[in-house]
Amino acid sequence: MKRIATALLFLAAAGVAAGSLANDNKKTGKAAVQPLVSFPAADLKWRELPGTGGIKVADVRGSITGKGPYDAFVIFPAGKDNPYHLHTQNLPTVVLKGTFYAVIDGERIDYPAGSFYNLPANMPHYSGCAKGEDCLLFQYQADHFDLVPVEKK
């Protein structure tokens, strides 16, 4: 399991780096030199997000609570549910531990460890971590994270 999580982390980081490099190439027509981003697990700095019921984050690029692009690990406590909401931009997520879920148009989709999803912008949904084991996620976006509450239809 540890090898799978490490491999997924590597693939996610490589995808982020490749996406950033591709965007730089489009803007300048030249390959940009990217700095090394290296975060062994022991070096991650975790912080709890106030008012979230125990959700913790460790930023590896930018800040999930700041402005601009970010890459971050997120820990959702087992059994933690989000209210009905949407995000104003796509939200790619790799599930590294536990089972995360999303309920879209009344249908629940479970994402066990090893899963990837890219939630489209402005798609109302519920989400959370199934009971039993905390969820460890890797998320990244081209701009800031947001969670916009929506009224249930």
Side-chain angles (χ1 to χ4, degrees):
M1 182 65 164
K2 196 171 187 178
R3 285 185 181 157
I4 291 172
T6 301
L8 287 171
L9 175 58
F10 174 77
L11 290 172
V16 170
S20 296
L21 183 57
N23 287 338
D24 288 342
N25 288 345
K26 287 179 192 173
K27 292 177 189 173
T28 65
K30 297 179 183 178
V33 176
Q34 297 292 311
L36 171 66
V37 177
S38 177
F39 280 92
D43 293 347
L44 293 173
K45 292 181 178 35
W46 292 95
R47 61 188 166 96
E48 187 169 330
L49 296 175
T52 63
I55 297 172
K56 297 177 184 172
V57 299
D59 295 311
V60 295
R61 180 179 64 116
S63 174
I64 196 169
T65 57
K67 301 290 182 202
Y70 74 89
D71 305 323
F73 289 96
V74 179
I75 294 177
F76 260 74
K80 169 74 176 138
D81 300 313
N82 279 325
Y84 198 53
H85 67 282
L86 59 81
H87 306 280
T88 59
Q89 60 182 324
N90 295 349
L91 180 57
T93 302
V94 178
V95 181
L96 299 169
K97 178 182 168 191
T99 299
F100 203 72
Y101 73 86
V103 179
I104 301 166
D105 294 330
E107 181 182 343
R108 179 177 166 141
I109 305 164
D110 287 330
Y111 299 100
S115 298
F116 170 82
Y117 66 90
N118 186 11
L119 189 66
N122 301 311
M123 178 175 279
H125 64 284
Y126 293 98
S127 62
C129 182
K131 293 179 181 176
E133 181 179 28
D134 288 352
C135 291
L136 174 61
L137 312 174
F138 183 78
Q139 296 181 321
Y140 54 97
Q141 289 179 292
D143 203 351
H144 69 284
F145 176 86
D146 63 1
L147 186 143
V148 181
V150 229
E151 284 192 38
K152 185 178 176 187
K153 293 180 181 180

